[in-house]
mmCIF file of all heavy atoms in Angstrom:
data_model
loop_
_atom_site.group_PDB
_atom_site.id
_atom_site.type_symbol
_atom_site.label_atom_id
_atom_site.label_comp_id
_atom_site.label_asym_id
_atom_site.label_seq_id
_atom_site.Cartn_x
_atom_site.Cartn_y
_atom_site.Cartn_z
ATOM 1 N N LYS J 205 8.485 10.828 1.680
ATOM 2 C CA LYS J 205 8.875 9.539 2.245
ATOM 3 C C LYS J 205 7.629 8.668 2.301
ATOM 4 O O LYS J 205 6.592 9.082 2.814
ATOM 5 C CB LYS J 205 9.455 9.679 3.655
ATOM 6 C CG LYS J 205 9.840 8.327 4.259
ATOM 7 C CD LYS J 205 10.443 8.451 5.647
ATOM 8 C CE LYS J 205 10.812 7.087 6.205
ATOM 9 N NZ LYS J 205 11.390 7.176 7.578
ATOM 10 N N ILE J 206 7.742 7.465 1.757
ATOM 11 C CA ILE J 206 6.631 6.530 1.719
ATOM 12 C C ILE J 206 7.021 5.313 2.541
ATOM 13 O O ILE J 206 8.039 4.663 2.260
ATOM 14 C CB ILE J 206 6.287 6.111 0.278
ATOM 15 C CG1 ILE J 206 5.987 7.353 -0.573
ATOM 16 C CG2 ILE J 206 5.107 5.158 0.268
ATOM 17 C CD1 ILE J 206 7.186 7.932 -1.295
ATOM 18 N N GLN J 207 6.248 5.011 3.548
ATOM 19 C CA GLN J 207 6.541 3.897 4.453
ATOM 20 C C GLN J 207 5.442 2.844 4.322
ATOM 21 O O GLN J 207 4.255 3.171 4.390
ATOM 22 C CB GLN J 207 6.607 4.379 5.904
ATOM 23 C CG GLN J 207 7.114 3.352 6.897
ATOM 24 C CD GLN J 207 8.627 3.228 6.880
ATOM 25 O OE1 GLN J 207 9.334 4.224 6.726
ATOM 26 N NE2 GLN J 207 9.131 2.011 7.037
ATOM 27 N N TYR J 208 5.840 1.591 4.135
ATOM 28 C CA TYR J 208 4.883 0.492 4.011
ATOM 29 C C TYR J 208 4.839 -0.287 5.316
ATOM 30 O O TYR J 208 5.861 -0.768 5.794
ATOM 31 C CB TYR J 208 5.277 -0.432 2.856
ATOM 32 C CG TYR J 208 5.290 0.277 1.523
ATOM 33 C CD1 TYR J 208 6.465 0.854 1.035
ATOM 34 C CD2 TYR J 208 4.139 0.401 0.762
ATOM 35 C CE1 TYR J 208 6.487 1.524 -0.179
ATOM 36 C CE2 TYR J 208 4.145 1.072 -0.452
ATOM 37 C CZ TYR J 208 5.317 1.631 -0.917
ATOM 38 O OH TYR J 208 5.331 2.304 -2.108
ATOM 39 N N SER J 209 3.637 -0.405 5.874
ATOM 40 C CA SER J 209 3.495 -1.060 7.176
ATOM 41 C C SER J 209 2.851 -2.434 7.088
ATOM 42 O O SER J 209 2.958 -3.222 8.025
ATOM 43 C CB SER J 209 2.659 -0.177 8.117
ATOM 44 O OG SER J 209 3.270 1.087 8.295
ATOM 45 N N ALA J 210 2.162 -2.732 5.996
ATOM 46 C CA ALA J 210 1.512 -4.033 5.861
ATOM 47 C C ALA J 210 1.245 -4.321 4.393
ATOM 48 O O ALA J 210 1.059 -3.408 3.586
ATOM 49 C CB ALA J 210 0.197 -4.065 6.650
ATOM 50 N N PHE J 211 1.240 -5.627 4.066
ATOM 51 C CA PHE J 211 0.989 -6.080 2.705
ATOM 52 C C PHE J 211 -0.061 -7.182 2.722
ATOM 53 O O PHE J 211 -0.219 -7.902 3.711
ATOM 54 C CB PHE J 211 2.266 -6.643 2.071
ATOM 55 C CG PHE J 211 3.322 -5.618 1.776
ATOM 56 C CD1 PHE J 211 4.172 -5.148 2.773
ATOM 57 C CD2 PHE J 211 3.487 -5.119 0.495
ATOM 58 C CE1 PHE J 211 5.154 -4.213 2.508
ATOM 59 C CE2 PHE J 211 4.467 -4.179 0.208
ATOM 60 C CZ PHE J 211 5.299 -3.724 1.216
ATOM 61 N N PHE J 212 -0.759 -7.343 1.599
ATOM 62 C CA PHE J 212 -1.608 -8.507 1.424
ATOM 63 C C PHE J 212 -0.733 -9.730 1.212
ATOM 64 O O PHE J 212 0.407 -9.618 0.750
ATOM 65 C CB PHE J 212 -2.526 -8.319 0.210
ATOM 66 C CG PHE J 212 -3.667 -7.366 0.436
ATOM 67 C CD1 PHE J 212 -3.539 -6.028 0.111
ATOM 68 C CD2 PHE J 212 -4.859 -7.814 0.985
ATOM 69 C CE1 PHE J 212 -4.585 -5.149 0.309
ATOM 70 C CE2 PHE J 212 -5.911 -6.932 1.195
ATOM 71 C CZ PHE J 212 -5.775 -5.598 0.861
ATOM 72 N N PRO J 213 -1.229 -10.927 1.534
ATOM 73 C CA PRO J 213 -0.435 -12.139 1.318
ATOM 74 C C PRO J 213 -0.034 -12.277 -0.142
ATOM 75 O O PRO J 213 -0.793 -11.942 -1.049
ATOM 76 C CB PRO J 213 -1.385 -13.266 1.740
ATOM 77 C CG PRO J 213 -2.354 -12.620 2.671
ATOM 78 C CD PRO J 213 -2.539 -11.227 2.155
ATOM 79 N N MET J 214 1.161 -12.787 -0.366
ATOM 80 C CA MET J 214 1.698 -12.924 -1.715
ATOM 81 C C MET J 214 1.176 -14.194 -2.372
ATOM 82 O O MET J 214 1.063 -15.243 -1.734
ATOM 83 C CB MET J 214 3.228 -12.953 -1.679
ATOM 84 C CG MET J 214 3.896 -13.055 -3.030
ATOM 85 S SD MET J 214 5.695 -12.826 -2.928
ATOM 86 C CE MET J 214 6.129 -14.130 -1.770
ATOM 87 N N LYS J 215 0.855 -14.086 -3.671
ATOM 88 C CA LYS J 215 0.524 -15.252 -4.464
ATOM 89 C C LYS J 215 1.732 -15.637 -5.300
ATOM 90 O O LYS J 215 2.588 -14.804 -5.610
ATOM 91 C CB LYS J 215 -0.677 -14.960 -5.368
ATOM 92 C CG LYS J 215 -1.994 -14.830 -4.605
ATOM 93 C CD LYS J 215 -3.178 -14.792 -5.554
ATOM 94 C CE LYS J 215 -4.492 -14.811 -4.791
ATOM 95 N NZ LYS J 215 -5.665 -14.838 -5.705
ATOM 96 N N VAL J 216 1.801 -16.910 -5.694
ATOM 97 C CA VAL J 216 2.949 -17.416 -6.439
ATOM 98 C C VAL J 216 3.119 -16.625 -7.732
ATOM 99 O O VAL J 216 2.173 -16.445 -8.502
ATOM 100 C CB VAL J 216 2.768 -18.917 -6.753
ATOM 101 C CG1 VAL J 216 3.925 -19.411 -7.619
ATOM 102 C CG2 VAL J 216 2.671 -19.719 -5.468
ATOM 103 N N GLY J 217 4.340 -16.133 -7.944
ATOM 104 C CA GLY J 217 4.650 -15.394 -9.155
ATOM 105 C C GLY J 217 4.193 -13.954 -9.163
ATOM 106 O O GLY J 217 4.359 -13.252 -10.165
ATOM 107 N N MET J 218 3.628 -13.501 -8.050
ATOM 108 C CA MET J 218 3.093 -12.152 -7.970
ATOM 109 C C MET J 218 3.813 -11.345 -6.900
ATOM 110 O O MET J 218 4.376 -11.890 -5.957
ATOM 111 C CB MET J 218 1.596 -12.185 -7.647
ATOM 112 C CG MET J 218 0.766 -13.034 -8.578
ATOM 113 S SD MET J 218 0.746 -12.384 -10.258
ATOM 114 C CE MET J 218 -0.301 -13.606 -11.071
ATOM 115 N N LEU J 219 3.781 -10.028 -7.038
ATOM 116 C CA LEU J 219 4.275 -9.148 -5.995
ATOM 117 C C LEU J 219 3.259 -9.046 -4.868
ATOM 118 O O LEU J 219 2.057 -9.204 -5.084
ATOM 119 C CB LEU J 219 4.531 -7.746 -6.569
ATOM 120 C CG LEU J 219 5.595 -7.599 -7.645
ATOM 121 C CD1 LEU J 219 5.599 -6.164 -8.145
ATOM 122 C CD2 LEU J 219 6.954 -7.975 -7.105
ATOM 123 N N GLU J 220 3.751 -8.763 -3.677
ATOM 124 C CA GLU J 220 2.850 -8.468 -2.572
ATOM 125 C C GLU J 220 2.268 -7.068 -2.764
ATOM 126 O O GLU J 220 3.012 -6.101 -2.929
ATOM 127 C CB GLU J 220 3.591 -8.540 -1.241
ATOM 128 C CG GLU J 220 3.984 -9.943 -0.839
ATOM 129 C CD GLU J 220 4.761 -9.945 0.468
ATOM 130 O OE1 GLU J 220 5.908 -9.475 0.459
ATOM 131 O OE2 GLU J 220 4.229 -10.419 1.482
ATOM 132 N N LEU J 221 0.969 -6.954 -2.731
ATOM 133 C CA LEU J 221 0.334 -5.657 -2.895
ATOM 134 C C LEU J 221 0.212 -4.954 -1.548
ATOM 135 O O LEU J 221 -0.155 -5.579 -0.548
ATOM 136 C CB LEU J 221 -1.053 -5.830 -3.508
ATOM 137 C CG LEU J 221 -1.067 -6.363 -4.945
ATOM 138 C CD1 LEU J 221 -2.492 -6.556 -5.423
ATOM 139 C CD2 LEU J 221 -0.321 -5.430 -5.867
ATOM 140 N N PRO J 222 0.522 -3.664 -1.493
ATOM 141 C CA PRO J 222 0.454 -2.942 -0.212
ATOM 142 C C PRO J 222 -0.939 -2.928 0.392
ATOM 143 O O PRO J 222 -1.948 -2.837 -0.321
ATOM 144 C CB PRO J 222 0.905 -1.525 -0.601
ATOM 145 C CG PRO J 222 1.777 -1.728 -1.796
ATOM 146 C CD PRO J 222 1.121 -2.842 -2.551
ATOM 147 N N LYS J 223 -0.978 -3.012 1.699
ATOM 148 C CA LYS J 223 -2.209 -2.901 2.472
ATOM 149 C C LYS J 223 -2.277 -1.559 3.193
ATOM 150 O O LYS J 223 -3.324 -0.922 3.241
ATOM 151 C CB LYS J 223 -2.264 -4.048 3.491
ATOM 152 C CG LYS J 223 -3.355 -3.946 4.549
ATOM 153 C CD LYS J 223 -4.712 -4.277 3.996
ATOM 154 C CE LYS J 223 -5.752 -4.309 5.105
ATOM 155 N NZ LYS J 223 -7.115 -4.552 4.600
ATOM 156 N N LEU J 224 -1.151 -1.134 3.766
ATOM 157 C CA LEU J 224 -1.104 0.124 4.515
ATOM 158 C C LEU J 224 0.169 0.867 4.162
ATOM 159 O O LEU J 224 1.269 0.326 4.266
ATOM 160 C CB LEU J 224 -1.134 -0.155 6.025
ATOM 161 C CG LEU J 224 -0.975 1.050 6.954
ATOM 162 C CD1 LEU J 224 -2.084 2.068 6.732
ATOM 163 C CD2 LEU J 224 -0.947 0.603 8.407
ATOM 164 N N LEU J 225 0.022 2.123 3.711
ATOM 165 C CA LEU J 225 1.178 2.967 3.433
ATOM 166 C C LEU J 225 0.930 4.362 3.973
ATOM 167 O O LEU J 225 -0.215 4.820 4.056
ATOM 168 C CB LEU J 225 1.499 3.018 1.950
ATOM 169 C CG LEU J 225 0.446 3.537 0.983
ATOM 170 C CD1 LEU J 225 1.114 4.152 -0.256
ATOM 171 C CD2 LEU J 225 -0.460 2.398 0.524
ATOM 172 N N GLU J 226 2.027 5.016 4.369
ATOM 173 C CA GLU J 226 1.969 6.378 4.896
ATOM 174 C C GLU J 226 2.956 7.244 4.132
ATOM 175 O O GLU J 226 4.102 6.868 3.942
ATOM 176 C CB GLU J 226 2.290 6.384 6.385
ATOM 177 C CG GLU J 226 1.305 5.578 7.226
ATOM 178 C CD GLU J 226 1.627 5.635 8.707
ATOM 179 O OE1 GLU J 226 1.783 6.756 9.229
ATOM 180 O OE2 GLU J 226 1.742 4.562 9.318
ATOM 181 N N LEU J 227 2.482 8.405 3.703
ATOM 182 C CA LEU J 227 3.301 9.376 2.987
ATOM 183 C C LEU J 227 3.524 10.581 3.885
ATOM 184 O O LEU J 227 2.606 11.015 4.585
ATOM 185 C CB LEU J 227 2.607 9.840 1.705
ATOM 186 C CG LEU J 227 2.486 8.899 0.519
ATOM 187 C CD1 LEU J 227 1.532 7.748 0.802
ATOM 188 C CD2 LEU J 227 1.999 9.669 -0.708
ATOM 189 N N SER J 228 4.711 11.133 3.847
ATOM 190 C CA SER J 228 4.984 12.339 4.635
ATOM 191 C C SER J 228 5.900 13.267 3.844
ATOM 192 O O SER J 228 6.807 12.825 3.133
ATOM 193 C CB SER J 228 5.616 11.984 5.981
ATOM 194 O OG SER J 228 6.832 11.277 5.810
ATOM 195 N N ARG J 229 5.636 14.554 3.994
ATOM 196 C CA ARG J 229 6.464 15.598 3.391
ATOM 197 C C ARG J 229 6.241 16.876 4.177
ATOM 198 O O ARG J 229 5.113 17.354 4.275
ATOM 199 C CB ARG J 229 6.110 15.811 1.926
ATOM 200 C CG ARG J 229 6.932 16.895 1.246
ATOM 201 C CD ARG J 229 6.606 16.992 -0.227
ATOM 202 N NE ARG J 229 7.380 18.034 -0.879
ATOM 203 C CZ ARG J 229 7.364 18.290 -2.178
ATOM 204 N NH1 ARG J 229 6.612 17.545 -2.982
ATOM 205 N NH2 ARG J 229 8.088 19.274 -2.678
ATOM 206 N N ASP J 230 7.296 17.395 4.766
ATOM 207 C CA ASP J 230 7.194 18.568 5.640
ATOM 208 C C ASP J 230 6.163 18.270 6.731
ATOM 209 O O ASP J 230 6.310 17.288 7.450
ATOM 210 C CB ASP J 230 6.842 19.813 4.828
ATOM 211 C CG ASP J 230 7.893 20.128 3.767
ATOM 212 O OD1 ASP J 230 9.078 19.860 4.023
ATOM 213 O OD2 ASP J 230 7.527 20.623 2.682
ATOM 214 N N ASN J 231 5.106 19.077 6.827
ATOM 215 C CA ASN J 231 4.100 18.872 7.873
ATOM 216 C C ASN J 231 2.876 18.100 7.391
ATOM 217 O O ASN J 231 1.887 17.985 8.128
ATOM 218 C CB ASN J 231 3.646 20.231 8.427
ATOM 219 C CG ASN J 231 4.765 20.952 9.149
ATOM 220 O OD1 ASN J 231 5.494 20.356 9.937
ATOM 221 N ND2 ASN J 231 4.918 22.241 8.875
ATOM 222 N N LEU J 232 2.941 17.575 6.193
ATOM 223 C CA LEU J 232 1.799 16.853 5.632
ATOM 224 C C LEU J 232 1.987 15.353 5.785
ATOM 225 O O LEU J 232 3.039 14.812 5.442
ATOM 226 C CB LEU J 232 1.646 17.210 4.150
ATOM 227 C CG LEU J 232 0.570 16.467 3.355
ATOM 228 C CD1 LEU J 232 -0.818 16.734 3.943
ATOM 229 C CD2 LEU J 232 0.623 16.864 1.891
ATOM 230 N N LYS J 233 0.962 14.694 6.293
ATOM 231 C CA LYS J 233 0.981 13.232 6.425
ATOM 232 C C LYS J 233 -0.291 12.676 5.789
ATOM 233 O O LYS J 233 -1.394 13.139 6.074
ATOM 234 C CB LYS J 233 1.069 12.812 7.895
ATOM 235 C CG LYS J 233 2.361 13.255 8.581
ATOM 236 C CD LYS J 233 2.445 12.718 9.991
ATOM 237 C CE LYS J 233 3.707 13.216 10.705
ATOM 238 N NZ LYS J 233 4.926 12.789 10.002
ATOM 239 N N ILE J 234 -0.113 11.678 4.940
ATOM 240 C CA ILE J 234 -1.222 11.023 4.263
ATOM 241 C C ILE J 234 -1.144 9.530 4.561
ATOM 242 O O ILE J 234 -0.082 8.919 4.421
ATOM 243 C CB ILE J 234 -1.164 11.254 2.744
ATOM 244 C CG1 ILE J 234 -1.271 12.748 2.418
ATOM 245 C CG2 ILE J 234 -2.258 10.465 2.030
ATOM 246 C CD1 ILE J 234 -1.082 13.067 0.945
ATOM 247 N N LYS J 235 -2.260 8.953 4.961
ATOM 248 C CA LYS J 235 -2.310 7.517 5.241
ATOM 249 C C LYS J 235 -3.367 6.869 4.353
ATOM 250 O O LYS J 235 -4.475 7.389 4.211
ATOM 251 C CB LYS J 235 -2.635 7.261 6.706
ATOM 252 C CG LYS J 235 -2.715 5.768 7.069
ATOM 253 C CD LYS J 235 -3.061 5.558 8.535
ATOM 254 C CE LYS J 235 -1.936 5.975 9.440
ATOM 255 N NZ LYS J 235 -2.197 5.613 10.873
ATOM 256 N N LEU J 236 -3.014 5.732 3.771
ATOM 257 C CA LEU J 236 -3.941 4.986 2.935
ATOM 258 C C LEU J 236 -3.977 3.536 3.385
ATOM 259 O O LEU J 236 -2.965 2.837 3.327
ATOM 260 C CB LEU J 236 -3.528 5.080 1.459
ATOM 261 C CG LEU J 236 -4.352 4.271 0.452
ATOM 262 C CD1 LEU J 236 -5.826 4.658 0.515
ATOM 263 C CD2 LEU J 236 -3.804 4.468 -0.957
ATOM 264 N N MET J 237 -5.145 3.110 3.838
ATOM 265 C CA MET J 237 -5.386 1.715 4.202
ATOM 266 C C MET J 237 -6.248 1.103 3.112
ATOM 267 O O MET J 237 -7.395 1.501 2.914
ATOM 268 C CB MET J 237 -6.100 1.622 5.555
ATOM 269 C CG MET J 237 -6.589 0.226 5.902
ATOM 270 S SD MET J 237 -5.257 -0.917 6.345
ATOM 271 C CE MET J 237 -4.971 -0.413 8.056
ATOM 272 N N ILE J 238 -5.680 0.149 2.389
ATOM 273 C CA ILE J 238 -6.382 -0.465 1.262
ATOM 274 C C ILE J 238 -7.130 -1.698 1.751
ATOM 275 O O ILE J 238 -6.536 -2.615 2.315
ATOM 276 C CB ILE J 238 -5.394 -0.828 0.145
ATOM 277 C CG1 ILE J 238 -4.658 0.426 -0.337
ATOM 278 C CG2 ILE J 238 -6.119 -1.504 -1.022
ATOM 279 C CD1 ILE J 238 -3.486 0.148 -1.258
ATOM 280 N N ASP J 239 -8.438 -1.698 1.541
ATOM 281 C CA ASP J 239 -9.249 -2.837 1.956
ATOM 282 C C ASP J 239 -9.287 -3.930 0.898
ATOM 283 O O ASP J 239 -9.330 -5.118 1.216
ATOM 284 C CB ASP J 239 -10.678 -2.380 2.261
ATOM 285 C CG ASP J 239 -10.732 -1.478 3.486
ATOM 286 O OD1 ASP J 239 -10.019 -1.775 4.464
ATOM 287 O OD2 ASP J 239 -11.476 -0.483 3.470
ATOM 288 N N ARG J 240 -9.269 -3.537 -0.362
ATOM 289 C CA ARG J 240 -9.226 -4.546 -1.418
ATOM 290 C C ARG J 240 -8.751 -3.933 -2.732
ATOM 291 O O ARG J 240 -8.936 -2.754 -3.001
ATOM 292 C CB ARG J 240 -10.579 -5.228 -1.614
ATOM 293 C CG ARG J 240 -11.739 -4.318 -1.946
ATOM 294 C CD ARG J 240 -13.043 -5.121 -1.916
ATOM 295 N NE ARG J 240 -14.188 -4.329 -2.315
ATOM 296 C CZ ARG J 240 -14.915 -3.580 -1.500
ATOM 297 N NH1 ARG J 240 -14.588 -3.502 -0.222
ATOM 298 N NH2 ARG J 240 -15.956 -2.900 -1.950
ATOM 299 N N TRP J 241 -8.102 -4.786 -3.516
ATOM 300 C CA TRP J 241 -7.659 -4.470 -4.866
ATOM 301 C C TRP J 241 -8.595 -5.157 -5.846
ATOM 302 O O TRP J 241 -8.956 -6.321 -5.665
ATOM 303 C CB TRP J 241 -6.247 -4.987 -5.110
ATOM 304 C CG TRP J 241 -5.166 -4.225 -4.419
ATOM 305 C CD1 TRP J 241 -4.649 -4.473 -3.170
ATOM 306 C CD2 TRP J 241 -4.429 -3.112 -4.936
ATOM 307 N NE1 TRP J 241 -3.647 -3.573 -2.892
ATOM 308 C CE2 TRP J 241 -3.489 -2.734 -3.950
ATOM 309 C CE3 TRP J 241 -4.468 -2.408 -6.143
ATOM 310 C CZ2 TRP J 241 -2.599 -1.679 -4.140
ATOM 311 C CZ3 TRP J 241 -3.588 -1.357 -6.335
ATOM 312 C CH2 TRP J 241 -2.667 -0.998 -5.339
ATOM 313 N N LEU J 242 -8.947 -4.458 -6.933
ATOM 314 C CA LEU J 242 -9.833 -5.007 -7.941
ATOM 315 C C LEU J 242 -9.221 -4.806 -9.322
ATOM 316 O O LEU J 242 -8.490 -3.843 -9.557
ATOM 317 C CB LEU J 242 -11.198 -4.298 -7.906
ATOM 318 C CG LEU J 242 -11.867 -4.126 -6.535
ATOM 319 C CD1 LEU J 242 -13.081 -3.222 -6.665
ATOM 320 C CD2 LEU J 242 -12.273 -5.457 -5.964
ATOM 321 N N ASP J 243 -9.532 -5.697 -10.246
ATOM 322 C CA ASP J 243 -9.167 -5.536 -11.654
ATOM 323 C C ASP J 243 -7.701 -5.146 -11.816
ATOM 324 O O ASP J 243 -7.358 -4.145 -12.444
ATOM 325 C CB ASP J 243 -10.071 -4.474 -12.301
ATOM 326 C CG ASP J 243 -9.899 -4.412 -13.816
ATOM 327 O OD1 ASP J 243 -9.732 -5.476 -14.427
ATOM 328 O OD2 ASP J 243 -9.925 -3.298 -14.367
ATOM 329 N N VAL J 244 -6.809 -5.935 -11.257
ATOM 330 C CA VAL J 244 -5.375 -5.620 -11.269
ATOM 331 C C VAL J 244 -4.743 -6.119 -12.561
ATOM 332 O O VAL J 244 -4.952 -7.260 -12.975
ATOM 333 C CB VAL J 244 -4.677 -6.259 -10.052
ATOM 334 C CG1 VAL J 244 -3.185 -5.994 -10.094
ATOM 335 C CG2 VAL J 244 -5.289 -5.726 -8.770
ATOM 336 N N GLY J 245 -3.943 -5.253 -13.215
ATOM 337 C CA GLY J 245 -3.282 -5.606 -14.471
ATOM 338 C C GLY J 245 -2.040 -6.452 -14.260
ATOM 339 O O GLY J 245 -1.747 -6.922 -13.155
ATOM 340 N N ASP J 246 -1.262 -6.623 -15.322
ATOM 341 C CA ASP J 246 -0.097 -7.517 -15.283
ATOM 342 C C ASP J 246 1.089 -6.944 -14.522
ATOM 343 O O ASP J 246 2.080 -7.636 -14.316
ATOM 344 C CB ASP J 246 0.359 -7.833 -16.713
ATOM 345 C CG ASP J 246 -0.617 -8.752 -17.439
ATOM 346 O OD1 ASP J 246 -1.418 -9.412 -16.751
ATOM 347 O OD2 ASP J 246 -0.578 -8.788 -18.682
#
């Protein structure tokens, strides 16, 4: 299960890129807080 808690502001014509997501499976929990995106493709 992947839960999105925050996104970076959206630019025109672009998707909102995730800022904070949490993954869970059984007893495992993984959290990723993204500070910045670089060199993003199309």
Side-chain angles (χ1 to χ4, degrees):
K205 179 179 180 181
I206 304 91
Q207 189 79 38
Y208 299 93
S209 301
F211 291 81
F212 285 93
M214 182 171 57
K215 289 190 174 183
V216 176
M218 306 295 180
L219 297 175
E220 290 178 290
L221 294 177
K223 169 75 174 177
L224 175 60
L225 59 152
E226 298 182 52
L227 288 69
S228 59
R229 180 176 179 176
D230 300 327
N231 294 315
L232 175 61
K233 297 185 183 300
I234 298 174
K235 180 181 291 187
L236 176 57
M237 171 72 80
I238 301 170
D239 293 319
R240 58 188 184 273
W241 287 91
L242 312 171
D243 189 38
V244 177
D246 289 341

